[in-house]
Amino acid sequence: MYGFEALTFNIHGGYLEAIVRGHRATLLTASDYNNLCQCETLDDIKMHLSATEYGPYLQNEPSPLHTTTIVEKCTLKLVDEYKHMLCQATEPLSTFLEYITYGHMIDNVVLIVTGTLHERDVQELLEKCHPLGMFDSIASLAVAQNMSELYRLVLVDTPLAPYFSQCITSEDLDDMNIEIMRNTLYKAYLEDFYRFCQKLGGATAEIMSDLLSFEADRRAVNITINSIGTELTRDDRRKLYSNFGLLYPYGHEELAVCEDIDQVRGAMEKYPPYQSLFSKLSYGESQLLDKAFYEEEVKRLCLAFEQQFHYAVFFAYMRLREQEIRNLMWISECVAQNQKSRVHDSVIFIF
Amino acid sequence: MSGSTVAGDPSTWAHALVKISPYTFSAIGIAVSIGVSVLGAAWGIYITGSSLIGAAIKAPRITSKNLISVIFCEAVAIYGVIVAIILQTKLESVPQSLLYAPESLRAGYAIFASGIIVGFANLVCGLCVGIIGSSCALSDAQNSSLFLKHRGLQEHDIPLLWSVGVPWTCLPPSEISNPFLQEDPYVEEQRGNMDLL
């Protein structure tokens, strides 16, 4: 019953909620980012990060650091925290936490399949996979030749199996089909997650439906923009949009027929939350759209922490941590390539 | 003066209710007063304790200050115990003839009502104090200036007033007209003798 979750939430979720709020308190703040942006070398970055929670993970790295090492160690910290929480969780929180990682699983699957298509070594690809999305039989993805084999050999045992019903075809895997497969899987995953949150009810359902709707709408816009000028037909494009969100169904109708960015902008400006986003971009510019979407997402994720006794804080924390890792990667790359003037282009302050 | 004249027709529910011994009602009232109060306090401590333990991992400084939330919850259980003790001192044995007298019934119902009031009021109070304590612990872990220092009035004095003071007013007056008071058989006989004179 909405409103009375406070009576029983703490029985199973109180301890973990307090832990995730403790983790949230250790996210890097604007002053940390300012210090990091003024670093001259990667060793300075390592020194600043050792004063934060990342200290134990970075202190044993040998001196010529690479940006990939920094990112890898920070991701490792996130994975450790996630696994700790997953071990402690009971149903339905454990299912909820697992749902958060399915997106990474989809990305890993697509990464390995694409890499195999381009004749890359499987071991090298496995190292590039995101650790949160690993599952046992992932290495055998390299063997499959088309989608139905992919499903039958590997994916039927994974949690992604139910998402494949919409995209099993006998076509061979090529770049276009792989992108369509990725988006179809992600669409099925988002809808499944949305249904699961609705079933949980209460504050979790309310906050997660807002966050997931934003994610669905953002993906719809990105799919539209990326498929302008490709051979993706309008019907195919419409099939990749999710069945929920602010844009469903009328916004999707308009987006499906868009042929350039200005038409996309025209379609989106009818929705007040996105109108403010698009008004920050001048006409014809799409590079800043990604940053605008990330900023809006961070704002909504921070708001999820305002309420107590729900599961959306876990989702919000994982996403905020991922955003922080993206920030660190951008800062490290700018510092490593001596382009410090561009540092503030893509760093999004969380607090 | 017996209960049956009060209720009338012997086969109605009212008659059946009136025939339940007032001792039953009083005993249930006392049991509810202590039992449900302790349930409320324990539930409240559970809610606040789980958040406090989790938050204290990253911020160990909050444990000593936030113990006050647990103490307030515990106080709620104590109120239930106090009222239960007071109520049970009001219970006295009466001779069988006076058991269903209207005054006895009133006393029984009064103790029952007091017990129910105290029990359920403390249940809700313990829950609320627990939920507030949980939120307070989490916000204190984040930012120590958010700790509420002035909860004493809300969480201690008001529950004390309502859950102990209000039932006090419902209790039967302990005067001579209270049929629960022990009747001395010698006094009874004297009174009977005086009637004859």
Side-chain angles (χ1 to χ4, degrees):
Chain A
M1 205 190 333
Y2 194 3
F4 288 89
E5 303 148 326
L7 299 180
T8 50
F9 181 86
N10 271 11
I11 297 173
H12 290 296
Y15 174 68
L16 280 175
E17 181 184 3
I19 287 197
V20 89
R21 281 179 187 265
H23 288 320
R24 173 236 191 244
T26 63
L27 284 170
L28 297 178
T29 61
S31 59
D32 291 319
Y33 284 124
N34 282 333
N35 285 344
L36 286 170
C37 290
Q38 286 163 5
C39 287
E40 296 290 333
T41 67
L42 289 179
D43 286 325
D44 285 344
I45 290 186
K46 175 180 159 185
M47 188 183 71
H48 276 117
L49 284 179
S50 55
T52 67
E53 292 280 313
Y54 289 113
Y57 289 86
L58 284 176
Q59 69 192 14
N60 292 329
E61 292 303 310
S63 200
L65 271 183
H66 295 286
T67 56
T68 49
T69 320
I70 296 182
V71 171
E72 198 184 299
K73 292 299 167 195
C74 296
T75 315
L76 188 60
K77 174 178 187 294
L78 175 59
V79 172
D80 282 345
E81 287 170 0
Y82 173 78
K83 288 204 171 121
H84 172 82
M85 288 195 287
L86 189 59
C87 286
Q88 290 271 359
T90 61
E91 289 294 332
L93 180 54
S94 51
T95 314
F96 186 89
L97 287 174
E98 282 170 10
Y99 263 100
I100 299 178
T101 61
Y102 292 167
H104 291 297
M105 249 185 234
I106 295 175
D107 287 338
N108 286 351
V109 165
V110 170
L111 179 76
I112 292 192
V113 169
T114 317
T116 314
L117 194 68
H118 293 281
E119 317 277 324
R120 295 265 166 77
D121 180 35
V122 174
Q123 283 306 115
E124 186 191 319
L125 292 170
L126 281 178
E127 280 168 22
K128 288 208 181 133
C129 283
H130 196 284
L132 278 178
M134 297 298 274
F135 51 94
D136 285 335
S137 44
I138 195 169
S140 43
L141 280 172
V143 179
Q145 299 293 336
N146 60 30
M147 282 192 217
S148 44
E149 261 188 31
L150 199 63
Y151 178 69
R152 202 167 42 84
L153 289 178
V154 181
L155 292 166
V156 67
D157 291 325
T158 64
L160 299 178
Y163 307 149
F164 262 82
S165 57
Q166 291 175 16
C167 66
I168 297 185
T169 62
S170 318
E171 291 172 13
D172 276 340
L173 298 167
D174 62 23
D175 278 322
M176 177 70 135
N177 287 341
I178 291 179
E179 273 308 303
I180 294 182
M181 178 177 84
R182 181 212 295 268
N183 285 311
T184 319
L185 283 177
Y186 212 91
K187 167 191 167 176
Y189 155 63
L190 277 182
E191 286 172 6
D192 194 25
F193 199 1
Y194 186 77
R195 268 195 302 270
F196 177 72
C197 292
Q198 295 295 103
K199 214 164 40 139
L200 287 176
T204 306
E206 185 182 323
I207 299 177
M208 283 307 295
S209 67
D210 180 56
L211 293 173
L212 290 177
S213 305
F214 179 76
E215 179 76 18
D217 294 338
R218 179 168 83 162
R219 288 194 78 86
V221 170
N222 283 338
I223 288 173
T224 312
I225 293 181
N226 291 340
S227 60
I228 292 174
T230 66
E231 36 191 54
L232 193 67
T233 65
R234 288 178 183 182
D235 286 334
D236 280 342
R237 202 196 277 180
R238 191 175 307 156
K239 271 195 282 198
L240 295 177
Y241 297 151
S242 302
N243 290 343
F244 63 97
L246 202 55
L247 292 176
Y248 170 78
Y250 306 114
H252 289 167
E253 298 284 336
E254 292 188 26
L255 280 180
V257 300
C258 284
E259 294 299 332
D260 64 42
I261 307 257
D262 290 326
Q263 285 184 4
V264 171
R265 176 198 290 271
M268 296 295 283
E269 277 182 348
K270 300 196 177 98
Y271 297 89
Y274 304 127
Q275 184 211 12
S276 52
L277 245 149
F278 276 81
S279 63
K280 287 186 212 153
L281 310 171
S282 49
Y283 274 95
E285 214 181 79
S286 75
Q287 294 95 330
L288 295 183
L289 185 61
D290 270 348
K291 185 176 182 197
F293 270 130
Y294 278 133
E295 276 174 356
E296 179 70 21
E297 183 189 16
V298 163
K299 217 166 36 164
R300 289 180 191 221
L301 291 172
C302 288
L303 286 178
F305 285 96
E306 299 291 317
Q307 265 200 43
Q308 207 184 340
F309 308 121
H310 61 85
Y311 293 145
V313 284
F314 296 97
F315 179 81
Y317 169 69
M318 301 291 289
R319 284 294 170 98
L320 283 174
R321 207 38 114 176
E322 284 167 19
Q323 178 60 43
E324 181 177 282
I325 293 176
R326 274 195 292 268
N327 285 348
L328 285 175
M329 183 179 77
W330 179 261
I331 295 176
S332 312
E333 288 287 348
C334 286
V335 163
Q337 295 172 14
N338 253 331
Q339 300 225 10
K340 292 193 41 199
S341 53
R342 296 196 54 197
V343 144
H344 286 283
D345 277 352
S346 193
V347 170
I348 294 167
F349 295 134
I350 296 181
F351 298 122
Chain B
M1 286 291 252
S2 77
S4 49
T5 58
V6 174
D9 182 10
S11 64
T12 58
W13 280 108
H15 190 76
L17 277 173
V18 159
K19 277 298 185 186
I20 296 177
S21 160
Y23 285 126
T24 310
F25 278 113
S26 337
I28 292 177
I30 295 171
V32 166
S33 136
I34 185 171
V36 178
S37 303
V38 171
L39 172 68
W43 199 333
I45 293 180
Y46 194 162
I47 294 178
T48 197
S50 51
S51 289
L52 191 51
I53 289 179
I57 289 182
K58 274 285 181 356
R61 59 183 164 80
I62 67 170
T63 40
S64 43
K65 263 210 286 189
N66 283 94
L67 223 43
I68 204 170
S69 308
V70 179
I71 303 285
F72 280 149
C73 276
E74 168 114 21
V76 161
I78 302 294
Y79 304 149
V81 175
I82 292 173
V83 173
I85 291 176
I86 293 172
L87 289 178
Q88 70 90 19
T89 59
K90 298 285 175 186
L91 274 185
E92 305 279 355
S93 297
V94 290
Q96 177 65 27
S97 58
L98 287 175
L99 188 58
Y100 290 101
E103 290 86 4
S104 314
L105 290 177
R106 176 193 171 272
Y109 299 152
I111 295 180
F112 178 66
S114 310
I116 298 274
I117 291 173
V118 170
F120 287 99
N122 284 340
L123 171 66
V124 180
C125 179
L127 278 172
C128 292
V129 172
I131 294 173
I132 292 178
S134 155
S135 305
C136 202
L138 290 178
S139 47
D140 188 15
Q142 193 87 29
N143 179 354
S144 50
S145 63
L146 290 175
F147 181 74
L148 290 167
K149 293 199 188 77
H150 307 295
R151 292 181 297 165
L153 176 67
Q154 291 167 308
E155 294 181 6
H156 184 269
D157 300 328
I158 292 178
L160 183 62
L161 177 69
W162 287 102
S163 64
V164 178
V166 168
W168 190 268
T169 66
C170 298
L171 290 180
S174 48
E175 294 158 353
I176 300 174
S177 63
N178 187 343
F180 270 9
L181 277 181
Q182 184 89 28
E183 300 262 344
D184 190 350
Y186 177 68
V187 171
E188 185 71 48
E189 198 188 312
Q190 290 299 314
R191 218 179 271 156
N193 288 343
M194 274 157 56
D195 279 346
L196 290 175
L197 286 173

